Amino acid sequence: MKFMLSCAAAVAALVLTPQALAQAAPVAAASADASLYHDLGGQAGLTRLVDRFWDDLKADARMAPFFVNVNPTPFKQRLAEQLCEVSGGPCTYGGADMKTAHSGIDVTRADFNALVEVLQRSMDAQGIAFRVQNRLLARLAPMHRDVVNVR
């Protein structure tokens, strides 16, 4: 349960606020190893995942309100770049740190849990192996402490 909450928080850091994606800080990959990037399908795989994830977010009643006024093109581009970097791919992603990007936005653990459920459904639909999903979520997890601001 603790791992799931951490994973949820990390993923929410990426997605709950579109403004955060426009200004998110670079996130160093857990290692220089690009095997996760390759296991996710490289840039093409990440693009497919982000496209599916966007559709799933918009279809989820819990997540859709966060994205009502979001332009999907830059949102998806930035998210793909950030996931690329986090997974050890060749991308560089820069901008505001997660704490700054999420200041003034109420982000709860329930929001994180819902977001992780949506991301996991998206990854399942893309045929991404469970162990690969866990590796990605583990790399995203450290961001949660800078995002959750409603305890």
Side-chain angles (χ1 to χ4, degrees), residues 43-58 72-73 75-77 79-80 83 119 122 126:
Q43 196 59 52
L46 288 173
T47 298
R48 283 190 306 274
L49 173 59
V50 168
D51 285 343
R52 176 64 185 242
F53 187 43
W54 172 259
D55 292 342
D56 292 346
L57 286 169
K58 294 292 284 186
T73 302
F75 173 83
K76 293 190 296 185
Q77 179 182 358
L79 180 56
L83 292 177
L119 179 59
S122 300
Q126 293 301 116

Side-chain angles (χ1 to χ4, degrees), residues 22-79:
Q23 304 175 345
V27 178
S31 73
D33 178 11
S35 66
L36 177 56
Y37 173 74
H38 295 295
D39 289 346
L40 290 166
Q43 196 59 52
L46 288 173
T47 298
R48 283 190 306 274
L49 173 59
V50 168
D51 285 343
R52 176 64 185 242
F53 187 43
W54 172 259
D55 292 342
D56 292 346
L57 286 169
K58 294 292 284 186
D60 188 280
R62 301 164 297 176
M63 293 289 98
F66 289 101
F67 301 95
V68 169
N69 297 313
V70 176
N71 181 337
T73 302
F75 173 83
K76 293 190 296 185
Q77 179 182 358
R78 293 289 189 195
L79 180 56

